[in-house]
Amino acid sequence: MIPRDFIDQLLSRVDIVDVIDRRVPLKKAGQNYQACCPFHGEKTPSFTVSPTKQFYHCFGCGAHGSAIGFLMEYGGMPFVDAVKSLADEAGLKVPEDASFQPKPKTGPDLTEHMAKAASFYKEQLKGSERAISYLKKRGLTGQIAARFGLGYAPAQSTALKQIFPNYDAPELAAAGLVIDNERGRYDRFRDRIMFPIRNPRGQVIAFGGRILDQGEPKYLNSPETPIFHKGSEVYGLFEGRQAIREAGKILVVEGYMDVVALAQNDIHYAVATLGTATTPIHARTLLRQTDRLYYCFDGDNAGRKAAWRALENTLEALADGKEVFFLFLPEGEDPDSWVRANGKDAFEGFMRREALPLSAFLIRELSRESDLSTQEGRAKLLKNATPLLQKIAAPVLAALIRRQLGDTLGMGGEAIGSLTGAKRPFGAKAAPAPAVARTRPSLCRTLARALVARPEFAARIDPARLPAGDPHVPLLTRLA
């Protein structure tokens, strides 16, 4: 049995809008999203998804529930399979048994503390001429600062005492807001521009702090906490979600300031990883949001190394129809300085002209390490390519890269495939997956699930009004 605590943790880590939108395209309608219901035929949308309540409801057929319930109804999945599928998307491992114990103080307690701190930092920014002057020098307006919720952490060592009277509370340390050592407790962030980091539901789960003057570290991030895992979260993804849908692409840059500076110049589809190399979870998260993913790096040796790590961690997330590109800026430039100097149109033109497709970047970098004028050098290239080709999750793309590699080495694509362990020869078709017929969700089954959670609702059910022929009527009658 899957522990209830884990299910709560899972639902707090996903956004139902993203879960449903990947399967049923949604359109913004006020504060909610709408679509024609996938569970019954209709021409006028009556299927509504609420990002604030994390709930879907169809006013036509009555289907409703959480992200897990949607996967069960839409995909015809049993409960456990739906949880496992959603957990995989969120980068979580489903506990094998009820011995699962959540980390202390997860969930609302910590997110409420983080929201309170974010509000405090925003207010402090309004009163700090020095911090405002720094942001203006970086070309940022108040509108962009407000959109990203930027703030300022005062220089005082215990400034958070102003909003947390119980400054010794263990939740403050668990949230990463304070540090304890032999000298006592003090604020983690001091005299820094604050960048709130949000999860897919818009909750503040961490902070990044940029120092105003000279000093180290230039950027300071929240530590790993029960609600923040830097290998899973992406800065700017929540703020840029709508722009990403409209642009049809995501640009991954290296720092918070790059994301904000690009937004200031009307490029709202940029995001950043959080002080760490791109992970497989990052890649899966980003490629679920778009079909075109651009990684942007400095053009120096360190930038190429970082790009190669991003490539390695993206291979397993690839799917046919997805495009991944690598963009290298001139040495000494970063997206912030480049777009401020040249503007949006020039930057996007540079992207179109200079971005390397993943396949071209992979073969170029492998070829640099080998002497292709000798048979030994060609064999070395093939040896280095083999584990990478085996990781590519997109079968058609993998076959095409093998063919391109064959042209580089003067060998046929099939020969490359056999030497690199291709699962099937190029051109072979996989057996089609059996079609799964979806039926209209059972009202009695939905009511039965509701009664399990809220038995007091039984008094409201009139057996005489239950639909005839519904196979779940006996189950509902026993529960009522």
Side-chain angles (χ1 to χ4, degrees):
M1 182 176 178
I2 300 174
R4 180 73 231 180
D5 286 335
F6 176 79
I7 294 171
D8 292 340
Q9 178 185 344
L10 174 61
L11 291 174
S12 73
R13 290 283 296 276
V14 299
D15 181 5
I16 193 171
V17 174
D18 289 336
V19 172
I20 295 179
D21 187 55
R22 289 195 294 272
R23 296 159 175 89
V24 179
L26 299 172
K27 290 186 177 180
K28 194 85 165 65
Q31 293 184 341
N32 298 326
Y33 292 81
Q34 283 187 338
C36 288
C37 181
F39 304 126
H40 78 283
E42 63 177 7
K43 294 182 179 179
T44 302
S46 62
F47 182 81
T48 301
V49 183
S50 169
T52 54
K53 297 179 181 178
Q54 291 294 300
F55 196 79
Y56 72 89
H57 180 80
C58 176
F59 293 93
C61 69
H64 65 278
S66 66
I68 295 173
F70 179 82
L71 292 184
M72 292 173 65
E73 297 291 357
Y74 184 80
M77 297 180 182
F79 174 75
V80 172
D81 290 350
V83 171
K84 288 181 177 178
S85 175
L86 199 61
D88 183 62
E89 292 183 12
L92 297 175
K93 183 178 180 181
V94 178
E96 297 296 330
D97 54 48
S99 63
F100 168 79
Q101 293 294 330
K103 294 180 181 179
K105 299 297 180 184
T106 62
D109 286 344
L110 296 191
T111 55
E112 287 171 9
H113 281 73
M114 298 303 276
K116 197 171 181 180
S119 296
F120 172 72
Y121 293 141
K122 283 177 68 175
E123 287 299 317
Q124 295 301 305
L125 175 61
K126 295 176 185 177
S128 174
E129 290 297 329
R130 182 163 152 268
I132 292 172
S133 174
Y134 172 83
L135 293 177
K136 286 182 177 179
K137 286 179 182 177
R138 301 299 296 262
L140 301 183
T141 62
Q143 182 180 7
I144 285 295
R147 181 186 170 199
F148 285 90
L150 302 189
Y152 171 68
Q156 296 94 322
S157 60
T158 58
L160 288 177
K161 276 186 176 180
Q162 298 175 48
I163 56 167
F164 295 112
N166 185 12
Y167 190 68
D168 293 326
E171 291 86 355
L172 297 183
L177 292 171
V178 298
I179 295 174
D180 292 315
N181 62 18
E182 64 278 1
R183 294 177 295 172
R185 170 169 286 195
Y186 57 93
D187 293 359
R188 179 178 298 275
F189 299 100
R190 303 179 306 283
D191 197 26
R192 290 177 180 270
I193 298 294
M194 299 298 288
F195 297 80
I197 299 164
R198 303 180 187 275
N199 65 14
R201 296 174 64 175
Q203 298 168 311
V204 177
I205 55 173
F207 292 99
R210 208 282 185 195
I211 199 165
L212 287 176
D213 300 316
Q214 298 300 316
E216 293 295 337
K218 181 189 293 186
Y219 285 95
L220 178 65
N221 296 322
S222 290
E224 293 272 322
T225 72
I227 59 172
F228 173 60
H229 308 280
K230 65 181 180 180
S232 303
E233 307 296 342
V234 180
Y235 178 74
L237 189 58
F238 175 79
E239 291 84 354
R241 184 168 58 186
Q242 188 62 35
I244 288 166
R245 289 195 181 105
E246 294 170 358
K249 58 190 171 188
I250 293 177
L251 176 67
V252 184
V253 293
E254 294 189 80
Y256 315 117
M257 190 58 75
D258 293 326
V259 173
V260 177
L262 288 167
Q264 182 67 62
N265 286 272
D266 201 28
I267 298 174
H268 298 284
Y269 50 83
V271 301
T273 54
L274 302 170
T276 182
T278 303
T279 67
I281 295 176
H282 287 145
R284 285 196 295 271
T285 297
L286 295 170
L287 286 171
R288 284 199 301 266
Q289 304 292 328
T290 186
D291 289 338
R292 286 187 295 155
L293 178 61
Y294 290 79
Y295 289 112
C296 181
F297 294 97
D298 296 342
D300 56 14
N301 188 51
R304 287 198 302 273
K305 287 182 177 178
W308 186 253
R309 288 195 298 272
L311 178 145
E312 291 178 315
N313 286 329
T314 301
L315 296 177
E316 293 181 3
L318 290 173
D320 290 318
K322 302 285 187 180
E323 297 178 280
V324 178
F325 300 90
F326 291 84
L327 180 69
F328 297 93
L329 297 175
E331 229 173 305
E333 294 278 11
D334 56 36
D336 178 5
S337 62
W338 208 102
V339 76
R340 281 197 289 151
N342 300 283
K344 174 187 177 180
D345 292 342
F347 186 87
E348 293 191 321
F350 181 75
M351 282 178 66
R352 288 191 295 270
R353 292 191 311 272
E354 301 296 332
L356 277 174
L358 178 144
S359 56
F361 178 56
L362 183 143
I363 291 178
R364 186 190 78 176
E365 294 302 299
L366 288 174
S367 299
R368 280 181 173 179
E369 299 175 2
S370 305
D371 180 2
L372 300 185
S373 66
T374 68
Q375 301 294 357
E376 291 80 2
R378 295 190 183 97
K380 178 183 177 183
L381 188 153
L382 189 57
K383 177 178 178 294
N384 292 339
T386 296
L388 300 172
L389 294 171
Q390 291 174 342
K391 288 173 67 176
I392 297 176
V396 175
L397 178 62
L400 293 172
I401 292 177
R402 286 187 176 94
R403 174 186 285 179
Q404 186 178 355
L405 189 58
D407 293 341
T408 301
L409 297 176
M411 301 172 64
E414 290 188 10
I416 295 290
S418 64
L419 290 171
T420 57
K423 293 182 179 178
R424 56 178 180 266
F426 175 68
K429 293 183 179 179
V436 178
R438 290 198 305 272
T439 58
R440 180 170 174 165
S442 162
L443 173 61
C444 291
R445 181 185 174 194
T446 301
L447 289 173
R449 288 211 307 264
L451 285 183
V452 171
R454 302 290 295 274
E456 64 271 20
F457 286 171
R460 304 184 187 181
I461 296 176
D462 181 1
R465 300 182 64 183
L466 296 177
D470 190 315
H472 295 91
V473 169
L475 170 63
L476 182 61
T477 303
R478 288 198 303 272
L479 290 172

mmCIF file of all heavy atoms in Angstrom, residues 61-64 73 440-449 465-467 470 472 476:
data_model
loop_
_atom_site.group_PDB
_atom_site.id
_atom_site.type_symbol
_atom_site.label_atom_id
_atom_site.label_comp_id
_atom_site.label_asym_id
_atom_site.label_seq_id
_atom_site.Cartn_x
_atom_site.Cartn_y
_atom_site.Cartn_z
ATOM 1 N N CYS A 61 -20.331 16.005 -17.728
ATOM 2 C CA CYS A 61 -20.504 14.615 -17.290
ATOM 3 C C CYS A 61 -20.209 14.410 -15.814
ATOM 4 O O CYS A 61 -20.424 13.314 -15.280
ATOM 5 C CB CYS A 61 -19.625 13.680 -18.129
ATOM 6 S SG CYS A 61 -17.844 13.855 -17.848
ATOM 7 N N GLY A 62 -19.684 15.432 -15.141
ATOM 8 C CA GLY A 62 -19.437 15.323 -13.705
ATOM 9 C C GLY A 62 -18.088 14.756 -13.328
ATOM 10 O O GLY A 62 -17.781 14.635 -12.143
ATOM 11 N N ALA A 63 -17.251 14.390 -14.310
ATOM 12 C CA ALA A 63 -15.925 13.861 -13.986
ATOM 13 C C ALA A 63 -15.117 14.915 -13.243
ATOM 14 O O ALA A 63 -15.136 16.098 -13.601
ATOM 15 C CB ALA A 63 -15.192 13.457 -15.262
ATOM 16 N N HIS A 64 -14.409 14.508 -12.196
ATOM 17 C CA HIS A 64 -13.618 15.462 -11.425
ATOM 18 C C HIS A 64 -12.569 14.706 -10.615
ATOM 19 O O HIS A 64 -12.676 13.495 -10.429
ATOM 20 C CB HIS A 64 -14.508 16.282 -10.487
ATOM 21 C CG HIS A 64 -15.171 15.459 -9.422
ATOM 22 N ND1 HIS A 64 -16.317 14.748 -9.650
ATOM 23 C CD2 HIS A 64 -14.824 15.210 -8.135
ATOM 24 C CE1 HIS A 64 -16.675 14.108 -8.537
ATOM 25 N NE2 HIS A 64 -15.768 14.366 -7.602
ATOM 26 N N GLU A 73 -8.622 7.921 -14.976
ATOM 27 C CA GLU A 73 -9.756 7.960 -15.884
ATOM 28 C C GLU A 73 -9.314 8.071 -17.339
ATOM 29 O O GLU A 73 -9.814 7.374 -18.215
ATOM 30 C CB GLU A 73 -10.672 9.139 -15.532
ATOM 31 C CG GLU A 73 -11.300 9.047 -14.147
ATOM 32 C CD GLU A 73 -12.329 7.933 -14.038
ATOM 33 O OE1 GLU A 73 -12.608 7.256 -15.052
ATOM 34 O OE2 GLU A 73 -12.854 7.743 -12.940
ATOM 35 N N ARG A 440 -16.803 6.301 -20.682
ATOM 36 C CA ARG A 440 -17.232 7.392 -19.828
ATOM 37 C C ARG A 440 -17.076 6.992 -18.367
ATOM 38 O O ARG A 440 -17.436 5.882 -17.979
ATOM 39 C CB ARG A 440 -18.688 7.724 -20.127
ATOM 40 C CG ARG A 440 -19.234 8.874 -19.280
ATOM 41 C CD ARG A 440 -20.574 9.301 -19.809
ATOM 42 N NE ARG A 440 -21.191 10.299 -18.944
ATOM 43 C CZ ARG A 440 -22.212 11.058 -19.300
ATOM 44 N NH1 ARG A 440 -22.716 10.926 -20.504
ATOM 45 N NH2 ARG A 440 -22.726 11.928 -18.468
ATOM 46 N N PRO A 441 -16.506 7.866 -17.524
ATOM 47 C CA PRO A 441 -16.281 7.484 -16.126
ATOM 48 C C PRO A 441 -17.583 7.169 -15.409
ATOM 49 O O PRO A 441 -18.622 7.763 -15.662
ATOM 50 C CB PRO A 441 -15.600 8.723 -15.522
ATOM 51 C CG PRO A 441 -15.962 9.841 -16.446
ATOM 52 C CD PRO A 441 -16.072 9.240 -17.801
ATOM 53 N N SER A 442 -17.500 6.200 -14.508
ATOM 54 C CA SER A 442 -18.666 5.765 -13.747
ATOM 55 C C SER A 442 -18.955 6.748 -12.619
ATOM 56 O O SER A 442 -18.091 7.029 -11.790
ATOM 57 C CB SER A 442 -18.413 4.364 -13.169
ATOM 58 O OG SER A 442 -19.311 4.080 -12.118
ATOM 59 N N LEU A 443 -20.188 7.270 -12.584
ATOM 60 C CA LEU A 443 -20.588 8.174 -11.518
ATOM 61 C C LEU A 443 -20.539 7.465 -10.168
ATOM 62 O O LEU A 443 -20.062 8.014 -9.169
ATOM 63 C CB LEU A 443 -22.002 8.710 -11.777
ATOM 64 C CG LEU A 443 -22.622 9.558 -10.657
ATOM 65 C CD1 LEU A 443 -21.781 10.803 -10.397
ATOM 66 C CD2 LEU A 443 -24.053 9.922 -11.004
ATOM 67 N N CYS A 444 -21.003 6.206 -10.140
ATOM 68 C CA CYS A 444 -21.018 5.472 -8.871
ATOM 69 C C CYS A 444 -19.606 5.192 -8.375
ATOM 70 O O CYS A 444 -19.338 5.225 -7.175
ATOM 71 C CB CYS A 444 -21.800 4.158 -9.029
ATOM 72 S SG CYS A 444 -23.578 4.426 -9.260
ATOM 73 N N ARG A 445 -18.700 4.927 -9.304
ATOM 74 C CA ARG A 445 -17.317 4.695 -8.896
ATOM 75 C C ARG A 445 -16.714 5.966 -8.299
ATOM 76 O O ARG A 445 -16.015 5.934 -7.282
ATOM 77 C CB ARG A 445 -16.490 4.244 -10.100
ATOM 78 C CG ARG A 445 -15.042 3.956 -9.775
ATOM 79 C CD ARG A 445 -14.279 3.645 -11.035
ATOM 80 N NE ARG A 445 -12.867 3.506 -10.768
ATOM 81 C CZ ARG A 445 -11.927 3.489 -11.713
ATOM 82 N NH1 ARG A 445 -12.250 3.588 -12.964
ATOM 83 N NH2 ARG A 445 -10.659 3.358 -11.398
ATOM 84 N N THR A 446 -17.017 7.117 -8.937
ATOM 85 C CA THR A 446 -16.523 8.395 -8.420
ATOM 86 C C THR A 446 -17.080 8.669 -7.027
ATOM 87 O O THR A 446 -16.358 9.090 -6.111
ATOM 88 C CB THR A 446 -16.917 9.533 -9.378
ATOM 89 O OG1 THR A 446 -16.359 9.262 -10.666
ATOM 90 C CG2 THR A 446 -16.380 10.871 -8.879
ATOM 91 N N LEU A 447 -18.391 8.405 -6.843
ATOM 92 C CA LEU A 447 -19.001 8.612 -5.537
ATOM 93 C C LEU A 447 -18.430 7.669 -4.488
ATOM 94 O O LEU A 447 -18.233 8.049 -3.327
ATOM 95 C CB LEU A 447 -20.518 8.419 -5.641
ATOM 96 C CG LEU A 447 -21.286 9.519 -6.401
ATOM 97 C CD1 LEU A 447 -22.737 9.111 -6.574
ATOM 98 C CD2 LEU A 447 -21.194 10.843 -5.681
ATOM 99 N N ALA A 448 -18.143 6.426 -4.900
ATOM 100 C CA ALA A 448 -17.573 5.459 -3.963
ATOM 101 C C ALA A 448 -16.208 5.922 -3.472
ATOM 102 O O ALA A 448 -15.883 5.824 -2.275
ATOM 103 C CB ALA A 448 -17.463 4.083 -4.618
ATOM 104 N N ARG A 449 -15.387 6.475 -4.371
ATOM 105 C CA ARG A 449 -14.075 6.980 -3.965
ATOM 106 C C ARG A 449 -14.239 8.140 -2.990
ATOM 107 O O ARG A 449 -13.488 8.287 -2.025
ATOM 108 C CB ARG A 449 -13.265 7.430 -5.177
ATOM 109 C CG ARG A 449 -12.756 6.292 -6.041
ATOM 110 C CD ARG A 449 -11.438 6.638 -6.710
ATOM 111 N NE ARG A 449 -11.516 7.899 -7.434
ATOM 112 C CZ ARG A 449 -11.767 7.995 -8.743
ATOM 113 N NH1 ARG A 449 -11.980 6.907 -9.449
ATOM 114 N NH2 ARG A 449 -11.807 9.157 -9.339
ATOM 115 N N ARG A 465 -31.913 7.388 -7.087
ATOM 116 C CA ARG A 465 -31.490 8.251 -8.188
ATOM 117 C C ARG A 465 -30.191 7.800 -8.844
ATOM 118 O O ARG A 465 -29.686 8.475 -9.735
ATOM 119 C CB ARG A 465 -31.337 9.685 -7.677
ATOM 120 C CG ARG A 465 -32.627 10.261 -7.096
ATOM 121 C CD ARG A 465 -32.439 11.684 -6.640
ATOM 122 N NE ARG A 465 -32.133 12.563 -7.767
ATOM 123 C CZ ARG A 465 -31.866 13.861 -7.633
ATOM 124 N NH1 ARG A 465 -31.869 14.412 -6.416
ATOM 125 N NH2 ARG A 465 -31.598 14.609 -8.684
ATOM 126 N N LEU A 466 -29.679 6.646 -8.419
ATOM 127 C CA LEU A 466 -28.443 6.139 -9.023
ATOM 128 C C LEU A 466 -28.735 5.599 -10.423
ATOM 129 O O LEU A 466 -29.804 5.036 -10.661
ATOM 130 C CB LEU A 466 -27.834 5.049 -8.150
ATOM 131 C CG LEU A 466 -27.376 5.511 -6.757
ATOM 132 C CD1 LEU A 466 -26.863 4.317 -5.957
ATOM 133 C CD2 LEU A 466 -26.314 6.583 -6.865
ATOM 134 N N PRO A 467 -27.806 5.754 -11.357
ATOM 135 C CA PRO A 467 -28.054 5.313 -12.736
ATOM 136 C C PRO A 467 -28.207 3.795 -12.828
ATOM 137 O O PRO A 467 -27.406 3.033 -12.285
ATOM 138 C CB PRO A 467 -26.807 5.791 -13.492
ATOM 139 C CG PRO A 467 -25.768 5.972 -12.445
ATOM 140 C CD PRO A 467 -26.482 6.388 -11.196
ATOM 141 N N ASP A 470 -25.302 0.700 -13.902
ATOM 142 C CA ASP A 470 -23.923 1.006 -13.519
ATOM 143 C C ASP A 470 -23.386 -0.148 -12.671
ATOM 144 O O ASP A 470 -23.949 -0.470 -11.618
ATOM 145 C CB ASP A 470 -23.883 2.303 -12.708
ATOM 146 C CG ASP A 470 -22.462 2.807 -12.493
ATOM 147 O OD1 ASP A 470 -21.585 1.984 -12.161
ATOM 148 O OD2 ASP A 470 -22.233 4.022 -12.643
ATOM 149 N N HIS A 472 -21.095 -0.370 -10.665
ATOM 150 C CA HIS A 472 -20.562 -0.017 -9.356
ATOM 151 C C HIS A 472 -21.653 0.331 -8.339
ATOM 152 O O HIS A 472 -21.351 0.741 -7.223
ATOM 153 C CB HIS A 472 -19.589 1.166 -9.484
ATOM 154 C CG HIS A 472 -18.364 0.840 -10.279
ATOM 155 N ND1 HIS A 472 -18.278 1.027 -11.636
ATOM 156 C CD2 HIS A 472 -17.165 0.302 -9.902
ATOM 157 C CE1 HIS A 472 -17.096 0.650 -12.066
ATOM 158 N NE2 HIS A 472 -16.396 0.211 -11.044
ATOM 159 N N LEU A 476 -21.290 0.990 -4.191
ATOM 160 C CA LEU A 476 -21.697 2.244 -3.587
ATOM 161 C C LEU A 476 -22.770 2.017 -2.518
ATOM 162 O O LEU A 476 -22.759 2.638 -1.465
ATOM 163 C CB LEU A 476 -22.194 3.202 -4.668
ATOM 164 C CG LEU A 476 -22.623 4.587 -4.181
ATOM 165 C CD1 LEU A 476 -21.469 5.301 -3.533
ATOM 166 C CD2 LEU A 476 -23.166 5.405 -5.356
#
